[in-house]
Amino acid sequence: MNSFKQQLEQYAQWTQECLEQLLPPQEGDRVTEAMRYSLLAGGKRIRPVLLLATCEMLGGDIRQARVPAAALEMIHTYSLIHDDLPGMDNDDYRRGRLTNHKVFGEGFAILAGDGLLNYAYECILNNALAWGENTPGHIRAAQEIARRAGVSGMVAGQSIDLLSEHHEPNEATLQYIHTHKTADLLTAPLLAAAYIAGADEKAISALETFGLCVGLAFQIDDDLLDVLGDAKDLGKQTGMDAQRGKQTWPAAFGVERSRQDAGKAIEQAAQALSPFGERGAYLRELAR
Ligand code: GRG
């Protein structure tokens, strides 16, 4: 196995261990059971990986980054649970298993999402207080995560996504949805790591550009997988975007241009890392 893959597995394993340590035990409590069901179902763990890899790239203390990394996965999982609800995308499968509401019912799926979101910040703030001298860096990281996950970030993107269903594809609207629904929660771990590691403005600005470009490519790819992918490999149904009249890159520009645009965005992301020189090699490879 090459060292890139080993490192990726290491980051994912730290995340899994940290989640298992942080999560309240099941003890017959249905909400906790529902939280654990979706959170421990797997997934690529890409947001924690971004946080941990960025912290290492910037020479930060990786021990300080583990809880925020795991907490970001809780926030991401809450968004998936709520996104799958009948009032949103009404999906039956996620991460290779039945969606949360299909197993626990809608009420408990809503509560499991609410539980994960709040517990994420409880963990982030406990961790912030535990690292004495660096508490302000952790608080700044928490602020960035809240802003990008919230009403001017992912929630705003999801809102326009819902409002734009069955509308003619429009480039500006698509850019807005992809920037906020997807790129914001991929940029949050980069900037959180930067604040925890005490990075300067130049590094923060480079990471912001990297996150935006990676986020756009990630969502274009996700849109392409919905058209071209295999449901078994993806662990969720395909062809759903067209059925719901979603604004997607392939619907607006076709498959070929979507592939090219995703490729261009990845190269722009790689370019954005040039201030970090060789130290940016891991994130560059991750993007590609
Ligand atoms: C409910 C506020 C709220 C937001 C929902 C996550 C989300 C926003 C919608 C899900 C649908 C979607 C296409 C979102 C874009 C981001 C995305 C591709 C999420 C899937 O993330 P992955 O691929 O999933 O990292 P895993 O399972 O690997 O963690």
Side-chain angles (χ1 to χ4, degrees):
M1 201 177 349
N2 67 24
S3 65
F4 172 79
K5 222 169 160 211
Q6 269 171 345
Q7 192 60 55
L8 192 64
E9 286 182 5
Q10 173 77 85
Y11 289 142
Q13 193 188 325
W14 283 346
T15 304
Q16 188 71 13
E17 285 165 8
C18 192
L19 285 171
E20 274 164 16
Q21 277 166 17
L22 287 171
L23 273 178
Q26 236 164 276
E27 282 170 6
D29 166 13
R30 195 163 171 80
V31 186
T32 315
E33 198 189 327
M35 286 161 66
R36 296 176 68 97
Y37 172 83
S38 293
L39 192 59
L40 303 178
K44 295 178 288 295
R45 310 301 198 203
I46 193 71
R47 293 151 193 85
V49 169
L50 285 168
L51 201 154
L52 295 165
T54 306
C55 184
E56 286 206 315
M57 176 182 82
L58 296 169
D61 177 355
I62 199 77
R63 294 169 307 159
Q64 297 195 22
R66 289 192 194 187
V67 170
L72 254 164
E73 189 65 21
M74 294 181 203
I75 296 172
H76 167 59
T77 304
Y78 119 76
S79 79
L80 297 177
I81 296 173
H82 281 192
D83 183 69
D84 291 335
L85 284 165
M88 294 214 198
D89 278 0
N90 196 16
D91 274 309
D92 292 349
Y93 290 93
R94 169 76 67 181
R95 292 178 164 173
R97 38 165 82 179
L98 283 170
T99 44
N100 201 288
H101 64 274
K102 285 275 161 195
V103 177
F104 296 94
E106 275 179 56
F108 276 94
I110 293 169
L111 286 176
D114 294 343
L116 283 169
L117 178 60
N118 283 286
Y119 195 61
Y121 289 106
E122 188 179 335
C123 293
I124 287 174
L125 293 173
N126 285 339
N127 186 62
L129 292 171
W131 290 104
E133 278 188 2
N134 202 14
T135 297
H138 282 277
I139 298 290
R140 183 67 187 86
Q143 183 190 38
E144 193 65 36
I145 293 171
R147 190 170 72 84
R148 290 191 182 259
V151 74
S152 48
M154 180 176 67
V155 172
Q158 181 77 347
S159 158
I160 300 302
D161 184 68
L162 286 177
L163 287 171
S164 309
E165 285 179 1
H166 303 293
H167 287 205
E168 272 299 300
N170 171 293
E171 185 162 2
T173 308
L174 261 172
Q175 284 275 1
Y176 184 92
I177 293 171
H178 287 19
T179 298
H180 294 292
K181 187 177 83 170
T182 309
D184 271 337
L185 210 66
L186 291 164
T187 308
L190 305 168
L191 298 192
Y195 292 119
I196 292 168
D200 62 18
E201 279 305 318
K202 196 174 156 209
I204 287 169
S205 159
L207 288 167
E208 209 168 353
T209 306
F210 175 76
L212 178 60
C213 296
V214 163
L216 290 178
F218 193 92
Q219 187 57 56
I220 296 173
D221 217 47
D222 194 71
D223 290 351
L224 279 168
L225 286 171
D226 190 67
V227 180
L228 306 169
D230 178 72
K232 226 164 134 220
D233 292 342
L234 295 171
K236 60 179 183 181
Q237 294 138 286
T238 53
M240 302 307 284
D241 290 342
Q243 250 185 55
R244 290 184 196 115
K246 285 273 183 204
Q247 298 248 352
T248 69
W249 218 264
F253 307 117
V255 165
E256 212 31 59
R257 176 161 158 206
S258 299
R259 283 197 177 119
Q260 286 166 10
D261 287 350
K264 275 189 221 156
I266 287 302
E267 285 321 303
Q268 282 166 0
Q271 275 291 320
L273 296 175
S274 52
F276 304 110
E278 253 318 287
R279 284 182 301 133
Y282 187 84
L283 282 186
R284 215 172 285 126
E285 191 164 350
L286 186 62
R288 284 182 179 140

